[in-house]
Amino acid sequence: MGKITVKQTSLDGVLLIEPQYFKDSRGFFVESYNKNDFSHAGITDEFVQDNHSKSQIGVLRGLHYQYPHAQGKLVCVLKGSIYDVTVDIRVGSPTFGKHFAVILHEDHPAMLFVPTGFAHGFLVLQDNTEVMYKVTDFYYPAGEAGIHWNDPTIAIPWPLDIIGVNSPILSDKDTIHPTLVELKSPFTYNKD
Ligand SMILES: Cc1cn([C@H]2C[C@H](O)[C@@H](COP(=O)(O)OP(=O)(O)O[C@H]3O[C@H](C)C(=O)[C@H](O)[C@H]3O)O2)c(=O)[nH]c1=O
Protein backbone atom coordinates (compact mmCIF):
# COMPACT_ATOMS: atom_id res chain seq x y z
CA MET A 1 0.00 0.00 0.00
CA GLY A 2 1.51 3.37 -0.99
CA LYS A 3 2.40 5.75 1.81
CA ILE A 4 1.83 9.48 1.70
CA THR A 5 3.72 12.35 3.33
CA VAL A 6 1.56 15.28 4.39
CA LYS A 7 3.09 18.74 4.89
CA GLN A 8 1.40 21.72 6.52
CA THR A 9 1.51 25.03 4.65
CA SER A 10 1.33 28.68 5.75
CA LEU A 11 -2.47 28.39 5.60
CA ASP A 12 -4.13 26.29 8.31
CA GLY A 13 -5.83 23.32 6.65
CA VAL A 14 -4.16 23.63 3.23
CA LEU A 15 -1.92 20.57 2.88
CA LEU A 16 0.81 19.50 0.48
CA ILE A 17 0.60 15.73 -0.07
CA GLU A 18 3.46 13.70 -1.50
CA PRO A 19 2.44 10.15 -2.37
CA GLN A 20 5.07 7.43 -2.73
CA TYR A 21 6.32 7.14 -6.32
CA PHE A 22 7.51 3.75 -7.54
CA LYS A 23 10.04 4.56 -10.25
CA ASP A 24 11.68 2.03 -12.52
CA SER A 25 13.21 1.86 -15.99
CA ARG A 26 9.67 2.12 -17.49
CA GLY A 27 8.74 5.33 -15.65
CA PHE A 28 6.69 5.50 -12.43
CA PHE A 29 3.61 4.17 -10.66
CA VAL A 30 1.74 6.00 -7.91
CA GLU A 31 -1.48 5.49 -6.03
CA SER A 32 -2.72 9.04 -6.62
CA TYR A 33 -5.59 8.58 -4.16
CA ASN A 34 -6.12 5.95 -1.46
CA LYS A 35 -9.00 6.46 0.95
CA ASN A 36 -7.21 4.63 3.79
CA ASP A 37 -3.96 6.60 3.45
CA PHE A 38 -5.81 9.92 3.22
CA SER A 39 -8.06 9.23 6.19
CA HIS A 40 -5.02 8.14 8.27
CA ALA A 41 -3.54 11.54 7.32
CA GLY A 42 -6.70 13.27 8.57
CA ILE A 43 -8.29 13.91 5.18
CA THR A 44 -11.62 12.16 5.61
CA ASP A 45 -13.55 14.31 3.11
CA GLU A 46 -15.47 12.32 0.54
CA PHE A 47 -14.61 13.27 -3.07
CA VAL A 48 -17.64 13.06 -5.35
CA GLN A 49 -16.41 14.49 -8.66
CA ASP A 50 -13.19 14.52 -10.69
CA ASN A 51 -12.35 17.57 -12.82
CA HIS A 52 -9.75 17.67 -15.59
CA SER A 53 -8.65 20.79 -17.48
CA LYS A 54 -6.03 21.31 -20.21
CA SER A 55 -4.52 24.74 -20.80
CA GLN A 56 -1.88 26.46 -22.88
CA ILE A 57 0.97 28.45 -21.35
CA GLY A 58 -0.12 31.80 -19.86
CA VAL A 59 -3.68 30.73 -19.00
CA LEU A 60 -4.82 31.76 -15.53
CA ARG A 61 -7.90 30.02 -14.10
CA GLY A 62 -9.20 31.57 -10.88
CA LEU A 63 -9.46 32.70 -8.23
CA HIS A 64 -12.57 30.56 -7.73
CA TYR A 65 -14.76 29.19 -4.98
CA GLN A 66 -18.27 27.78 -4.86
CA TYR A 67 -20.90 28.74 -2.29
CA PRO A 68 -23.30 27.28 -1.25
CA HIS A 69 -22.10 23.75 -1.92
CA ALA A 70 -18.53 24.79 -1.11
CA GLN A 71 -15.91 22.42 -2.50
CA GLY A 72 -12.76 21.03 -0.97
CA LYS A 73 -10.23 20.20 -3.73
CA LEU A 74 -7.38 17.73 -4.23
CA VAL A 75 -5.29 19.17 -7.08
CA CYS A 76 -2.63 17.38 -9.09
CA VAL A 77 -0.77 18.05 -12.32
CA LEU A 78 -0.85 15.19 -14.81
CA LYS A 79 1.20 16.99 -17.47
CA GLY A 80 3.18 20.25 -17.54
CA SER A 81 3.27 22.64 -14.58
CA ILE A 82 1.24 25.30 -12.77
CA TYR A 83 1.83 28.07 -10.24
CA ASP A 84 -0.98 27.10 -7.90
CA VAL A 85 -2.47 29.65 -5.49
CA THR A 86 -4.85 29.30 -2.56
CA VAL A 87 -6.29 32.32 -0.70
CA ASP A 88 -7.80 32.18 2.80
CA ILE A 89 -11.25 33.84 2.64
CA ARG A 90 -12.56 32.68 6.05
CA VAL A 91 -13.68 35.81 7.90
CA GLY A 92 -11.98 35.89 11.30
CA SER A 93 -9.07 33.69 10.20
CA PRO A 94 -5.61 34.83 11.37
CA THR A 95 -4.50 34.36 7.74
CA PHE A 96 -7.56 36.01 6.10
CA GLY A 97 -6.55 37.42 2.71
CA LYS A 98 -3.19 35.67 2.82
CA HIS A 99 -2.16 33.34 -0.02
CA PHE A 100 -0.12 30.18 -0.38
CA ALA A 101 1.60 29.50 -3.71
CA VAL A 102 3.33 26.33 -4.89
CA ILE A 103 4.55 25.04 -8.23
CA LEU A 104 2.98 21.67 -9.05
CA HIS A 105 4.87 19.90 -11.82
CA GLU A 106 4.43 16.58 -13.61
CA ASP A 107 7.87 15.50 -12.43
CA HIS A 108 7.40 16.78 -8.85
CA PRO A 109 3.95 15.35 -8.43
CA ALA A 110 2.90 16.65 -5.07
CA MET A 111 -0.83 17.17 -4.66
CA LEU A 112 -2.49 20.09 -2.92
CA PHE A 113 -5.47 19.66 -0.62
CA VAL A 114 -7.57 22.85 -0.44
CA PRO A 115 -10.41 22.68 2.12
CA THR A 116 -13.60 24.75 1.83
CA GLY A 117 -13.16 28.40 2.83
CA PHE A 118 -10.43 29.15 0.31
CA ALA A 119 -10.34 30.61 -3.20
CA HIS A 120 -8.20 28.65 -5.67
CA GLY A 121 -6.54 29.32 -9.00
CA PHE A 122 -3.45 28.65 -11.05
CA LEU A 123 -1.23 30.16 -13.73
CA VAL A 124 -0.12 27.66 -16.39
CA LEU A 125 3.66 27.56 -16.88
CA GLN A 126 3.96 25.16 -19.83
CA ASP A 127 1.95 24.43 -22.98
CA ASN A 128 -0.54 21.55 -22.91
CA THR A 129 -0.65 21.44 -19.13
CA GLU A 130 -3.30 19.11 -17.74
CA VAL A 131 -4.66 19.48 -14.21
CA MET A 132 -6.85 16.89 -12.51
CA TYR A 133 -8.64 17.61 -9.25
CA LYS A 134 -11.13 15.80 -7.05
CA VAL A 135 -13.83 17.89 -5.37
CA THR A 136 -15.95 17.24 -2.28
CA ASP A 137 -19.24 18.60 -3.66
CA PHE A 138 -20.89 18.64 -7.04
CA TYR A 139 -20.73 21.53 -9.48
CA TYR A 140 -23.41 24.08 -8.66
CA PRO A 141 -23.31 26.82 -11.32
CA ALA A 142 -25.48 29.21 -9.27
CA GLY A 143 -22.85 29.02 -6.56
CA GLU A 144 -19.87 29.85 -8.76
CA ALA A 145 -17.93 32.86 -7.42
CA GLY A 146 -14.46 34.36 -7.53
CA ILE A 147 -11.97 37.03 -6.54
CA HIS A 148 -9.99 39.12 -8.99
CA TRP A 149 -6.71 37.37 -9.86
CA ASN A 150 -4.75 40.60 -9.48
CA ASP A 151 -6.36 41.87 -6.27
CA PRO A 152 -3.87 44.44 -4.89
CA THR A 153 -4.62 43.58 -1.25
CA ILE A 154 -3.75 39.91 -1.81
CA ALA A 155 -0.82 40.88 -4.09
CA ILE A 156 -0.07 37.44 -5.55
CA PRO A 157 3.34 37.57 -7.32
CA TRP A 158 2.15 35.65 -10.39
CA PRO A 159 5.34 34.68 -12.30
CA LEU A 160 4.22 36.20 -15.60
CA ASP A 161 7.78 37.35 -16.32
CA ILE A 162 9.12 33.79 -16.05
CA ILE A 163 6.80 32.69 -18.87
CA GLY A 164 7.36 35.92 -20.81
CA VAL A 165 3.80 37.26 -20.87
CA ASN A 166 2.57 40.70 -19.80
CA SER A 167 -0.91 39.54 -18.92
CA PRO A 168 -2.54 36.14 -18.53
CA ILE A 169 -5.13 34.48 -20.79
CA LEU A 170 -8.42 34.67 -18.86
CA SER A 171 -12.02 33.55 -19.36
CA ASP A 172 -14.43 36.50 -19.65
CA LYS A 173 -15.82 35.84 -16.18
CA ASP A 174 -12.30 35.83 -14.67
CA THR A 175 -11.78 39.42 -15.82
CA ILE A 176 -14.68 40.79 -13.72
CA HIS A 177 -14.48 39.14 -10.28
CA PRO A 178 -14.63 41.54 -7.30
CA THR A 179 -11.65 42.19 -5.04
CA LEU A 180 -11.62 40.72 -1.54
CA VAL A 181 -12.46 44.16 -0.10
CA GLU A 182 -15.52 44.42 -2.37
CA LEU A 183 -16.55 40.84 -1.63
CA LYS A 184 -18.55 39.74 1.39
CA SER A 185 -16.98 36.34 1.95
CA PRO A 186 -19.59 33.73 2.92
CA PHE A 187 -17.00 31.75 4.92
CA THR A 188 -16.21 32.17 8.61
CA TYR A 189 -13.17 30.80 10.45
CA ASN A 190 -13.87 27.93 12.84
CA LYS A 191 -10.68 27.16 14.70
CA ASP A 192 -11.93 23.75 16.00
C1 LIG B 1 -15.92 23.88 -12.71
C2 LIG B 1 -16.87 23.20 -13.65
C3 LIG B 1 -17.15 23.73 -14.92
N1 LIG B 1 -18.02 23.09 -15.75
C4 LIG B 1 -18.26 23.66 -17.07
C5 LIG B 1 -18.77 25.10 -17.05
C6 LIG B 1 -18.13 25.75 -18.25
O1 LIG B 1 -19.00 25.61 -19.37
C7 LIG B 1 -16.86 24.93 -18.49
C8 LIG B 1 -15.62 25.65 -18.04
O2 LIG B 1 -15.84 26.06 -16.70
P1 LIG B 1 -14.90 27.15 -16.04
O3 LIG B 1 -14.57 28.22 -17.04
O4 LIG B 1 -15.56 27.55 -14.75
O5 LIG B 1 -13.57 26.30 -15.73
P2 LIG B 1 -12.35 26.83 -14.87
O6 LIG B 1 -12.08 28.27 -15.12
O7 LIG B 1 -11.26 25.84 -15.09
O8 LIG B 1 -12.88 26.69 -13.36
C9 LIG B 1 -12.14 26.01 -12.37
O9 LIG B 1 -11.02 26.78 -12.12
C10 LIG B 1 -10.41 26.79 -10.84
C11 LIG B 1 -8.98 26.38 -10.99
C12 LIG B 1 -11.07 26.02 -9.78
O10 LIG B 1 -10.47 25.80 -8.72
C13 LIG B 1 -12.45 25.56 -9.93
O11 LIG B 1 -12.48 24.17 -9.68
C14 LIG B 1 -13.11 25.81 -11.21
O12 LIG B 1 -13.85 27.00 -11.03
O13 LIG B 1 -17.00 23.72 -17.75
C15 LIG B 1 -18.67 21.92 -15.39
O14 LIG B 1 -19.47 21.36 -16.16
N2 LIG B 1 -18.42 21.38 -14.15
C16 LIG B 1 -17.56 21.98 -13.27
O15 LIG B 1 -17.35 21.44 -12.15
PDB file of all heavy atoms in Angstrom, residues 101-113:
ATOM      1  N   ALA A 101       1.308  29.856  -2.305  1.00  0.00           N
ATOM      2  CA  ALA A 101       1.598  29.499  -3.708  1.00  0.00           C
ATOM      3  C   ALA A 101       2.586  28.346  -3.742  1.00  0.00           C
ATOM      4  O   ALA A 101       3.487  28.255  -2.903  1.00  0.00           O
ATOM      5  CB  ALA A 101       2.177  30.710  -4.439  1.00  0.00           C
ATOM      6  N   VAL A 102       2.405  27.461  -4.722  1.00  0.00           N
ATOM      7  CA  VAL A 102       3.331  26.332  -4.892  1.00  0.00           C
ATOM      8  C   VAL A 102       3.329  25.932  -6.360  1.00  0.00           C
ATOM      9  O   VAL A 102       2.294  26.033  -7.035  1.00  0.00           O
ATOM     10  CB  VAL A 102       2.920  25.125  -4.004  1.00  0.00           C
ATOM     11  CG1 VAL A 102       1.536  24.604  -4.331  1.00  0.00           C
ATOM     12  CG2 VAL A 102       3.951  24.019  -4.045  1.00  0.00           C
ATOM     13  N   ILE A 103       4.504  25.550  -6.865  1.00  0.00           N
ATOM     14  CA  ILE A 103       4.549  25.044  -8.235  1.00  0.00           C
ATOM     15  C   ILE A 103       4.302  23.532  -8.197  1.00  0.00           C
ATOM     16  O   ILE A 103       4.971  22.801  -7.459  1.00  0.00           O
ATOM     17  CB  ILE A 103       5.906  25.364  -8.916  1.00  0.00           C
ATOM     18  CG1 ILE A 103       5.993  26.872  -9.183  1.00  0.00           C
ATOM     19  CG2 ILE A 103       6.046  24.572 -10.227  1.00  0.00           C
ATOM     20  CD1 ILE A 103       7.275  27.334  -9.872  1.00  0.00           C
ATOM     21  N   LEU A 104       3.266  23.110  -8.901  1.00  0.00           N
ATOM     22  CA  LEU A 104       2.982  21.673  -9.046  1.00  0.00           C
ATOM     23  C   LEU A 104       3.413  21.291 -10.462  1.00  0.00           C
ATOM     24  O   LEU A 104       3.042  21.966 -11.433  1.00  0.00           O
ATOM     25  CB  LEU A 104       1.492  21.380  -8.834  1.00  0.00           C
ATOM     26  CG  LEU A 104       0.927  21.754  -7.453  1.00  0.00           C
ATOM     27  CD1 LEU A 104      -0.578  21.466  -7.408  1.00  0.00           C
ATOM     28  CD2 LEU A 104       1.640  21.018  -6.326  1.00  0.00           C
ATOM     29  N   HIS A 105       4.226  20.253 -10.549  1.00  0.00           N
ATOM     30  CA  HIS A 105       4.874  19.904 -11.816  1.00  0.00           C
ATOM     31  C   HIS A 105       4.746  18.407 -12.052  1.00  0.00           C
ATOM     32  O   HIS A 105       4.792  17.622 -11.109  1.00  0.00           O
ATOM     33  CB  HIS A 105       6.355  20.301 -11.713  1.00  0.00           C
ATOM     34  CG  HIS A 105       7.117  20.167 -12.980  1.00  0.00           C
ATOM     35  ND1 HIS A 105       7.509  18.949 -13.494  1.00  0.00           N
ATOM     36  CD2 HIS A 105       7.561  21.099 -13.868  1.00  0.00           C
ATOM     37  CE1 HIS A 105       8.157  19.142 -14.622  1.00  0.00           C
ATOM     38  NE2 HIS A 105       8.207  20.420 -14.874  1.00  0.00           N
ATOM     39  N   GLU A 106       4.600  18.019 -13.310  1.00  0.00           N
ATOM     40  CA  GLU A 106       4.428  16.579 -13.613  1.00  0.00           C
ATOM     41  C   GLU A 106       5.555  15.742 -13.037  1.00  0.00           C
ATOM     42  O   GLU A 106       5.362  14.591 -12.668  1.00  0.00           O
ATOM     43  CB  GLU A 106       4.307  16.359 -15.124  1.00  0.00           C
ATOM     44  CG  GLU A 106       5.566  16.666 -15.883  1.00  0.00           C
ATOM     45  CD  GLU A 106       5.428  16.434 -17.396  1.00  0.00           C
ATOM     46  OE1 GLU A 106       4.662  17.181 -18.046  1.00  0.00           O
ATOM     47  OE2 GLU A 106       6.054  15.503 -17.910  1.00  0.00           O
ATOM     48  N   ASP A 107       6.754  16.320 -12.941  1.00  0.00           N
ATOM     49  CA  ASP A 107       7.871  15.502 -12.430  1.00  0.00           C
ATOM     50  C   ASP A 107       8.080  15.683 -10.922  1.00  0.00           C
ATOM     51  O   ASP A 107       8.908  15.032 -10.321  1.00  0.00           O
ATOM     52  CB  ASP A 107       9.177  15.861 -13.165  1.00  0.00           C
ATOM     53  CG  ASP A 107       9.120  15.376 -14.612  1.00  0.00           C
ATOM     54  OD1 ASP A 107       8.390  14.392 -14.846  1.00  0.00           O
ATOM     55  OD2 ASP A 107       9.737  16.006 -15.479  1.00  0.00           O
ATOM     56  N   HIS A 108       7.334  16.661 -10.318  1.00  0.00           N
ATOM     57  CA  HIS A 108       7.399  16.777  -8.852  1.00  0.00           C
ATOM     58  C   HIS A 108       5.958  16.682  -8.384  1.00  0.00           C
ATOM     59  O   HIS A 108       5.313  17.657  -8.071  1.00  0.00           O
ATOM     60  CB  HIS A 108       8.011  18.098  -8.399  1.00  0.00           C
ATOM     61  CG  HIS A 108       7.832  18.295  -6.916  1.00  0.00           C
ATOM     62  ND1 HIS A 108       8.394  17.443  -5.981  1.00  0.00           N
ATOM     63  CD2 HIS A 108       7.113  19.191  -6.202  1.00  0.00           C
ATOM     64  CE1 HIS A 108       8.033  17.824  -4.774  1.00  0.00           C
ATOM     65  NE2 HIS A 108       7.265  18.888  -4.860  1.00  0.00           N
ATOM     66  N   PRO A 109       5.411  15.472  -8.464  1.00  0.00           N
ATOM     67  CA  PRO A 109       3.954  15.350  -8.434  1.00  0.00           C
ATOM     68  C   PRO A 109       3.369  15.381  -7.027  1.00  0.00           C
ATOM     69  O   PRO A 109       2.752  14.435  -6.589  1.00  0.00           O
ATOM     70  CB  PRO A 109       3.729  14.002  -9.094  1.00  0.00           C
ATOM     71  CG  PRO A 109       5.035  13.326  -9.182  1.00  0.00           C
ATOM     72  CD  PRO A 109       6.083  14.229  -8.588  1.00  0.00           C
ATOM     73  N   ALA A 110       3.612  16.476  -6.335  1.00  0.00           N
ATOM     74  CA  ALA A 110       2.898  16.647  -5.066  1.00  0.00           C
ATOM     75  C   ALA A 110       1.466  17.033  -5.408  1.00  0.00           C
ATOM     76  O   ALA A 110       1.182  17.504  -6.512  1.00  0.00           O
ATOM     77  CB  ALA A 110       3.561  17.761  -4.256  1.00  0.00           C
ATOM     78  N   MET A 111       0.562  16.767  -4.456  1.00  0.00           N
ATOM     79  CA  MET A 111      -0.830  17.165  -4.657  1.00  0.00           C
ATOM     80  C   MET A 111      -1.172  18.189  -3.583  1.00  0.00           C
ATOM     81  O   MET A 111      -0.587  18.182  -2.503  1.00  0.00           O
ATOM     82  CB  MET A 111      -1.754  15.956  -4.498  1.00  0.00           C
ATOM     83  CG  MET A 111      -1.591  14.950  -5.593  1.00  0.00           C
ATOM     84  SD  MET A 111      -2.808  13.663  -5.401  1.00  0.00           S
ATOM     85  CE  MET A 111      -1.941  12.586  -4.306  1.00  0.00           C
ATOM     86  N   LEU A 112      -2.112  19.071  -3.894  1.00  0.00           N
ATOM     87  CA  LEU A 112      -2.489  20.089  -2.920  1.00  0.00           C
ATOM     88  C   LEU A 112      -3.924  19.828  -2.474  1.00  0.00           C
ATOM     89  O   LEU A 112      -4.811  19.654  -3.324  1.00  0.00           O
ATOM     90  CB  LEU A 112      -2.401  21.486  -3.555  1.00  0.00           C
ATOM     91  CG  LEU A 112      -2.532  22.651  -2.580  1.00  0.00           C
ATOM     92  CD1 LEU A 112      -1.279  22.782  -1.700  1.00  0.00           C
ATOM     93  CD2 LEU A 112      -2.782  23.947  -3.319  1.00  0.00           C
ATOM     94  N   PHE A 113      -4.105  19.778  -1.148  1.00  0.00           N
ATOM     95  CA  PHE A 113      -5.474  19.662  -0.621  1.00  0.00           C
ATOM     96  C   PHE A 113      -5.934  21.045  -0.155  1.00  0.00           C
ATOM     97  O   PHE A 113      -5.301  21.661   0.704  1.00  0.00           O
ATOM     98  CB  PHE A 113      -5.547  18.661   0.539  1.00  0.00           C
ATOM     99  CG  PHE A 113      -6.923  18.579   1.139  1.00  0.00           C
ATOM    100  CD1 PHE A 113      -7.976  18.041   0.388  1.00  0.00           C
ATOM    101  CD2 PHE A 113      -7.195  19.087   2.403  1.00  0.00           C
ATOM    102  CE1 PHE A 113      -9.269  17.987   0.911  1.00  0.00           C
ATOM    103  CE2 PHE A 113      -8.476  19.038   2.931  1.00  0.00           C
ATOM    104  CZ  PHE A 113      -9.515  18.499   2.182  1.00  0.00           C
TER     105      PHE A 113
END
